[in-house]
Amino acid sequence: MNPVLTSTESRAYDDLLIKKAGIPSLVLMENAARGALAAITELLAPNKSVLIFCGKGNNGGDGLALARLLIEKEIDVDVVLISKQLSTDAAHQLAVLKKFLDPHHIHTFPFRDSHFLAHMDIGVIVDALLGTGATGALKKQYGEAVLMINGLARHSNAKVLSLDVPTGMDADSGDVETIIDSKPVCVFATKTVAMGALKRGFFQGLAPDVTGEISIAPLGGPTPESTVALIDQKDIAPLQPSRHKTTTKYDQGYVLSVAGSRGMTGAAIMSAEAALRTGCGLVTVATAASERHIVASAMPELMTAPLRDDSDGMPIGASFNDLAEYLPKADVVLLGPGIRVSPESSKLIYRILREVGLPIVADAGALSVIAEDVSVLKKRPAPTVLTPHSGEMARILGIGRGELEKNRIEIASAIAKQHKVTLVLKGAPSIIATPSGRVYINSTGNSGMATAGVGDVLAGMIAGILAQDTSEVETASIFATYLHGLAGDIAKRELTENVLTATDIIKHLPAAFKTIEA
């Protein structure tokens, strides 16, 4: 898996490579530039030129080294310097570059004369202004340069490559602090090439709309260590549950789903089907007695059990006793999809959380009950997986959703460790935080999955995979989340984002499994 670093960890990694591994800083800069060259080659059309905006620090030095490598490839380059005062390594790169590049192609910002732009057929604009260490609002000159990069990209229909991080975006939070005319000011990249390792901010705040495609430029040293990692396709195949030739449905796990109430039986049906579609052997849906016939008629493979309910079709607290026949057979309880919260249904959910000694995957209505009393998690006698979206997570914590979005990784990790749960925080991207402190960032999924029922499908998938091996809570959560997003991506390719529904994800699970197996 690819490590994901904070800005502090990134600086420490650079220090490790220079001081302990003995790699000179100029060699690191050359390696970064070669990684940038590989990234820009994928963006640049034939006979197009490159315009590189360089800051005064080492990020600018990477850009200057890249300019020289492009010249070696006989690509036309112009360089824009934001400052004449450069870091030692950047100044060295400029001195070398001047031996290869005519001074008329090296400009200082702001321009005294911008006529040179009219004679350029720009294919790619490189943002080498500020790197990982930059924090806070942009200084005036950098803000103006960012606006020019974005404007030139629109005017010339050029691609934009950001080195390390898009200028203006915080490398840790993914937030944009500089605001001009009520609009966030940062470079909107077509592609971002991260130097050495991925950055924490790529997966938080505004980053998904800012970074574009992300690649990594290896710096030539050992892989950095981090408690946060991005799930890669190569990591997934070994996590898939195995099946023996002699296996039976009783060996493949049994999910008891406590789900559904009047008007919300769809969630119970979709989550149960998703559990079966991930290889689980048996699923029983315990649902409001008055609504049971709806669930039973939806899918013949499902078993159903009636829960005593009130006149509104809501399970009542006393229906906990109705589960006595089924709990001894179950391996995992899926709790909450499609259950509207009322005083009576809350009693039922609370008793299950407190008294059932089986792994529980808690979603929807169960999360609402947990938000009222988070302490119930510490009293759980068995592992718990929570699957909130950002709104549900913010409600559990009693904070604003905006605050959560800036610190999704840190908050998810803190909650998982504090309450000894596995937390699957749904979003763009989804995050899996574990009680041990390890955090995994999912790399699949798309905006078409922002539609009703998709979370119910994920909860069912986690329960179905976990039931096959209840000792592998972390593995089941990672595999299910990746598979869920992959099925959504396959559905997007076939149907487009605009029309995706939750059942489309279920329909494309076979193709997702085949992709992983291949």
Side-chain angles (χ1 to χ4, degrees):
M1 294 189 183
N2 290 315
V4 179
L5 307 185
T6 64
S7 55
T8 299
E9 289 171 336
S10 294
R11 288 191 293 273
Y13 179 53
D14 287 344
D15 287 344
L16 181 148
L17 294 178
I18 294 169
K19 296 175 182 178
K20 293 188 178 180
I23 303 174
S25 58
L26 283 170
V27 173
L28 294 182
M29 195 168 278
E30 287 293 314
N31 292 342
R34 294 190 183 280
L37 179 66
I40 203 170
T41 301
E42 298 173 0
L43 299 178
L44 189 60
N47 302 317
K48 294 282 188 176
S49 60
V50 177
L51 180 62
I52 305 178
F53 283 76
C54 298
K56 66 180 182 180
N58 286 350
N59 192 254
D62 295 342
L64 292 166
L66 171 62
R68 174 169 42 79
L69 296 179
L70 289 168
I71 292 168
E72 290 177 7
K73 299 288 185 180
E74 299 184 344
I75 295 169
D76 291 335
V77 177
D78 276 70
V79 169
V80 178
L81 299 174
I82 299 300
S83 173
K84 294 181 180 179
Q85 301 297 318
L86 302 179
S87 69
T88 301
D89 286 351
H92 176 84
Q93 293 291 356
L94 178 60
V96 175
L97 178 63
K98 285 180 176 179
K99 297 177 182 178
F100 296 86
L101 185 62
D102 188 301
H104 291 96
H105 292 281
I106 301 175
H107 317 275
T108 303
F109 187 84
F111 305 127
R112 293 181 180 176
D113 182 358
S114 61
H115 285 93
F116 76 95
L117 293 172
H119 301 290
M120 293 186 68
D121 190 4
I122 304 173
V124 178
I125 302 170
V126 177
D127 160 30
L129 292 173
L130 294 171
T132 303
T135 58
L138 296 173
K139 293 180 179 178
K140 184 174 183 292
Q141 196 150 310
Y142 280 89
E144 291 173 350
V146 166
L147 293 175
M148 174 159 280
I149 289 173
N150 292 336
L152 283 172
R154 288 192 299 269
H155 179 73
S156 59
N157 197 30
K159 302 293 195 330
V160 177
L161 176 67
S162 284
L163 305 191
D164 214 14
V165 295
T167 297
M169 190 199 87
D170 188 276
D172 289 333
S173 70
D175 196 22
V176 177
E177 293 191 28
T178 307
I179 306 295
I180 296 179
D181 295 332
S182 302
K183 295 180 181 179
V185 175
C186 67
V187 170
F188 285 82
T190 310
K191 187 170 187 175
T192 298
V193 55
M195 302 309 172
L198 299 168
K199 308 301 184 278
R200 189 79 60 91
F202 291 168
F203 309 102
Q204 306 194 110
L206 295 176
D209 291 322
V210 170
T211 59
E213 182 186 350
I214 298 170
S215 63
I216 302 171
L219 295 181
T223 301
E225 296 182 359
S226 176
T227 58
V228 181
L230 180 72
I231 304 167
D232 196 278
Q233 184 172 344
K234 68 180 184 297
D235 305 315
I236 287 299
L239 305 184
Q240 182 172 340
S242 60
R243 298 175 76 94
H244 302 292
K245 292 183 178 179
T246 57
T247 194
T248 71
K249 62 185 176 183
Y250 302 106
D251 301 318
Q252 290 304 122
Y254 184 170
V255 172
L256 174 60
S257 175
V258 182
S261 54
R262 186 167 298 163
M264 300 184 71
T265 50
I269 294 164
M270 288 187 293
S271 57
E273 182 178 0
L276 280 176
R277 288 289 186 186
T278 51
C280 177
L282 297 159
V283 177
T284 293
V285 181
T287 193
S290 63
E291 314 303 307
R292 180 186 180 189
H293 67 285
I294 300 174
V295 177
S297 62
M299 189 178 183
E301 295 91 342
L302 295 177
M303 297 179 288
T304 59
L307 296 177
R308 280 171 280 175
D309 57 350
D310 59 22
S311 59
D312 294 322
M314 300 281 287
I316 61 174
S319 66
F320 179 80
N321 297 324
D322 300 335
L323 299 173
E325 176 185 346
Y326 306 96
L327 285 170
K329 306 173 187 176
D331 295 297
V332 170
V333 173
L334 172 59
L335 180 60
I339 295 183
R340 291 183 288 117
V341 175
S342 70
E344 281 295 324
S345 65
S346 294
K347 290 178 184 177
L348 169 63
I349 291 170
Y350 194 78
R351 284 197 68 181
I352 293 171
L353 289 169
R354 282 292 305 270
E355 299 179 30
V356 173
L358 295 171
I360 288 177
V361 179
D363 188 47
L367 297 173
S368 295
V369 172
I370 290 168
E372 294 297 320
D373 182 8
V374 183
S375 69
V376 70
L377 295 174
K378 289 186 176 179
K379 301 169 185 175
R380 284 272 304 123
T384 310
V385 181
L386 307 184
T387 60
H389 54 59
S390 294
E392 291 167 330
M393 191 74 251
R395 191 160 62 249
I396 289 172
L397 295 171
I399 62 175
R401 188 170 177 175
E403 182 181 350
L404 173 67
E405 289 297 337
K406 292 181 183 180
N407 300 284
R408 299 174 79 238
I409 296 170
E410 294 82 357
I411 289 174
S413 181
I415 292 298
K417 287 189 291 186
Q418 180 182 353
H419 297 286
K420 306 299 180 186
V421 299
T422 299
L423 177 63
V424 180
L425 179 56
K426 296 175 291 195
S430 293
I431 293 166
I432 303 101
T434 67
S436 68
R438 293 287 303 174
V439 178
Y440 304 92
I441 301 171
N442 191 39
S443 58
T444 58
N446 59 82
S447 64
M449 298 172 71
T451 187
V454 169
D456 300 307
V457 172
L458 175 58
M461 290 174 63
I462 295 171
I465 293 170
L466 180 56
Q468 296 170 58
D469 186 350
T470 56
S471 68
E472 295 290 344
V473 180
E474 182 175 310
T475 296
S477 299
I478 293 170
F479 184 79
T481 304
Y482 184 93
L483 184 71
H484 179 257
L486 180 59
D489 289 340
I490 295 170
K492 170 191 169 181
R493 289 198 293 269
E494 182 178 322
L495 304 171
T496 77
E497 287 182 341
N498 296 331
V499 301
L500 284 192
T501 65
T503 52
D504 289 328
I505 295 171
I506 298 175
K507 291 173 185 174
H508 287 84
L509 282 174
F513 270 109
K514 286 181 180 179
T515 300
I516 290 172
E517 290 168 359

